[in-house]
Amino acid sequence: MDSAERVDLVIARLKDTGEVAVAELAEASGHSEMTIRRDLDRLESQGVLRRVRGGAVSLVPRGQEPPYVLRERQAVEAKRRIAAQVAALVPTGAAVALDSGTTALEVARELAGRPVTVMPLSLQGADVLARSAETTVLVAGGEVRPGELNLHGPLAEASLAAVRFDAAVVGCCGVSAGEGVTAHDLQDVAVKRAMMRSSQRTIAAADSTKIGLVTMGHVCPVGDIDTLVTDDGAPEDAIAEIRAAGVDVVTV
Amino acid sequence: MDSAERVDLVIARLKDTGEVAVAELAEASGHSEMTIRRDLDRLESQGVLRRVRGGAVSLVPRGQEPPYVLRERQAVEAKRRIAAQVAALVPTGAAVALDSGTTALEVARELAGRPVTVMPLSLQGADVLARSAETTVLVAGGEVRPGELNLHGPLAEASLAAVRFDAAVVGCCGVSAGEGVTAHDLQDVAVKRAMMRSSQRTIAAADSTKIGLVTMGHVCPVGDIDTLVTDDGAPEDAIAEIRAAGVDVVTV
DNA sequence: CGTAACGAACATGTCTGGTGTTTGAATGTC
DNA sequence: GACATTCAAACACCAGACATGTTCGTTACG
């Protein structure tokens, strides 16, 4: 069991019971207690949990979005496939607004090096794209959320309003036919709306675990999306409902 | 002779004669020709030179600004001392606009972790500052210059115009009493002016090699600077002239 | 005061990045 | 067109970085 698997184990236990013990994890993973402690220390510095004597307790309240360092470990393969499909939908020379989040970051990796114009809404996205001389990067302004490194606030919205895009690539926390596109954070909602306002088309990217989910911040009715790219793990009926709303759903 | 020294050697030869030979460099550095080729390939991808059969020729025209990868190797110690002094001039809780460039990046490193609000004009600066949760990072929008990773254009100027700062920290390519503050790039000039317009004070940071230099883009008369931080290598009379214009010159 | 947990320090194994050598292909020169 | 030089891909090698385990003195809790 390597480092990544151990973290997964810790996360699973935390989700289950809200706390973990060093000795128990060492037993379950087959590694020494010292290694477990180092894992937990790292996760503590990332804001995932808080160390207590003998173990750790969860810091991620139920219903809230897990921190970036956890989300980037989830559905990695699906996100990569989705990102490749999204990038294929962006023609050469196009201008796109690119959301923050782990899926959008994969899209950035796919777009980097292609002759397109991209406005990323996160610093990681900007970093990835700016390495390539072929790609024009027009970074949005805004306040940076620590840890998440996404851009939000009035400056971000003003940046988006100042440009017109061929497409907006939007990540999200939930997509359902009834409640539409939803996100965890209200400031993100405002940014996503601004992206869509400035774009001719909206491409939503969401792995299948997001299909059918509803979170707090309402972005738009599902019909406002032009294309939804997801993986093939989503329930058939949920996809059918979304299609019925006029969305072009692409599964990869 | 390690990798960094070899690059220095290449740069020195290029500055001297405008071209270098693989065999000659291998001889001089005591490494194999293959290693020299790899060095040159790397420098070519960074835009410093162009490979030709048997060697390479310089791509940096005289009078133009050398690429970022070269500037960051120059006067490192002086830049660090200057940056520490600049950071000391920024009080806790202040809001500052922070220029792009190698000196400003050092200032970002000094400011990171302190409870201040910073608007960096470069992606590297944003990266450094965003790692710390204490520091509020309000990144400027704008187009990203490849290689340099600084932000410019109307979006950057609009971002600056939308905020008011306690201080603008401006890097520059030249400072002289007669010609004032100058930069190599006209788009950078516009950004620097926008920074100064939105700020109560202007702090210029320039190592002593910049004192007395004049480059193409005129930013402002020297009297528009409130404080100039430089190292103690600058000629006495040039410093005296700048002081006579009403600038508070700090040498470290 | 005793036990369990902690963390600093050191040792070990693994992996990656930089370097050298070889070799066949490509390119320039005559 | 023939030859010499240069190039780059492939492989081997080494050093430094990183992860892990062990030991041991210190600290916290009952």
Side-chain angles (χ1 to χ4, degrees):
Chain A
M1 176 173 283
D2 69 354
S3 173
E5 292 175 281
R6 286 201 309 275
V7 172
D8 288 340
L9 178 66
V10 172
I11 301 310
R13 300 277 170 115
L14 280 182
K15 219 172 207 168
D16 208 26
T17 66
E19 57 181 14
V20 291
V22 171
E24 169 209 8
L25 288 169
E27 168 77 20
S29 69
H31 286 254
S32 73
E33 298 199 349
M34 194 63 225
T35 298
I36 301 298
R37 285 197 197 98
R38 283 190 268 242
D39 287 345
L40 295 180
D41 288 349
R42 202 173 317 141
L43 288 168
E44 181 174 38
S45 75
Q46 291 169 340
V48 177
L49 47 77
R50 187 166 52 80
R51 283 300 311 276
V52 295
R53 194 174 177 76
V57 295
S58 179
L59 269 185
V60 182
R62 290 164 199 284
Q64 272 198 20
E65 187 169 31
Y68 192 88
V69 286
L70 295 188
R71 284 176 6 242
E72 72 178 347
R73 319 172 52 87
Q74 296 169 352
V76 178
E77 194 42 51
K79 281 170 183 166
R80 203 160 294 159
R81 287 205 312 275
I82 291 169
Q85 177 60 41
V86 170
L89 293 173
V90 176
T92 295
V96 298
L98 182 60
D99 207 356
S100 58
T102 53
T103 312
L105 182 56
E106 286 300 326
V107 177
R109 296 209 172 95
E110 294 285 338
L111 288 176
R114 289 186 47 195
V116 291
T117 301
V118 186
M119 178 176 277
L121 269 298
S122 80
L123 287 185
Q124 296 110 318
D127 247 8
V128 168
L129 293 160
R131 291 187 196 288
S132 144
E134 311 304 316
T135 311
T136 303
V137 185
L138 205 61
V139 64
E143 190 169 341
V144 180
R145 192 192 315 277
E148 202 78 4
L149 299 191
N150 64 342
L151 300 161
H152 61 87
L155 271 179
E157 292 164 44
S159 296
L160 287 163
V163 191
R164 287 297 170 274
F165 303 97
D166 297 306
V169 174
V170 177
C172 52
C173 305
V175 188
S176 85
E179 300 296 334
V181 178
T182 49
H184 272 106
D185 189 281
L186 290 183
Q187 294 183 300
D188 285 351
V189 168
V191 168
K192 288 179 207 299
R193 283 190 181 155
M195 289 172 65
M196 295 171 67
R197 263 200 304 279
S198 293
S199 305
Q200 297 198 342
R201 298 167 56 202
T202 298
I203 303 172
D207 64 82
S208 60
T209 65
K210 316 274 183 66
I211 307 297
L213 281 191
V214 179
T215 60
M216 188 183 62
H218 180 256
V219 178
C220 65
V222 77
D224 287 6
I225 304 175
D226 297 295
T227 310
L228 169 65
V229 181
T230 184
D231 60 285
D232 54 10
E236 290 290 337
D237 51 346
I239 296 292
E241 282 183 60
I242 293 171
R243 280 219 170 89
V247 180
D248 180 19
V249 180
V250 181
T251 59
V252 292
Chain B
M1 176 174 282
D2 69 355
S3 173
E5 291 175 281
R6 287 199 310 274
V7 172
D8 288 340
L9 178 65
V10 173
I11 301 309
R13 300 278 170 114
L14 280 182
K15 219 172 206 165
D16 209 23
T17 66
E19 58 182 12
V20 290
V22 172
E24 171 208 8
L25 288 169
E27 167 77 19
S29 68
H31 287 254
S32 73
E33 297 199 350
M34 193 64 225
T35 298
I36 301 298
R37 287 199 195 96
R38 283 190 268 242
D39 287 345
L40 295 181
D41 288 349
R42 202 173 316 142
L43 288 168
E44 181 174 39
S45 76
Q46 291 169 341
V48 177
L49 48 78
R50 187 166 53 79
R51 283 301 309 276
V52 294
R53 192 173 177 79
V57 296
S58 180
L59 267 186
V60 183
R62 291 166 198 284
Q64 270 198 21
E65 188 169 31
Y68 191 89
V69 286
L70 296 188
R71 279 167 23 231
E72 71 180 348
R73 315 170 56 88
Q74 297 169 351
V76 178
E77 193 42 52
K79 281 170 184 168
R80 202 160 296 158
R81 286 207 311 276
I82 291 168
Q85 177 61 41
V86 170
L89 292 174
V90 175
T92 295
V96 299
L98 182 61
D99 207 355
S100 58
T102 53
T103 312
L105 181 56
E106 286 299 326
V107 177
R109 295 209 173 95
E110 293 284 339
L111 287 176
R114 288 185 48 194
V116 291
T117 300
V118 186
M119 178 177 277
L121 269 296
S122 80
L123 288 185
Q124 297 110 317
D127 247 8
V128 168
L129 292 160
R131 292 186 195 288
S132 145
E134 311 305 316
T135 311
T136 303
V137 185
L138 205 59
V139 63
E143 189 169 342
V144 180
R145 191 193 314 276
E148 202 79 2
L149 299 190
N150 65 341
L151 300 161
H152 61 88
L155 271 180
E157 291 164 44
S159 295
L160 287 163
V163 190
R164 287 295 171 274
F165 302 97
D166 298 306
V169 174
V170 177
C172 51
C173 305
V175 188
S176 85
E179 300 296 333
V181 179
T182 50
H184 272 105
D185 188 280
L186 290 183
Q187 294 184 302
D188 285 352
V189 168
V191 168
K192 288 179 207 297
R193 282 189 181 154
M195 289 171 65
M196 293 171 69
R197 263 200 304 280
S198 293
S199 304
Q200 297 200 339
R201 299 168 55 204
T202 298
I203 303 172
D207 65 82
S208 58
T209 65
K210 316 274 182 67
I211 306 296
L213 282 191
V214 179
T215 59
M216 189 183 63
H218 180 254
V219 178
C220 66
V222 76
D224 286 7
I225 304 175
D226 296 295
T227 309
L228 169 64
V229 182
T230 184
D231 60 283
D232 53 11
E236 289 290 337
D237 51 346
I239 295 292
E241 282 183 60
I242 293 171
R243 280 220 171 90
V247 180
D248 180 19
V249 180
V250 182
T251 58
V252 291

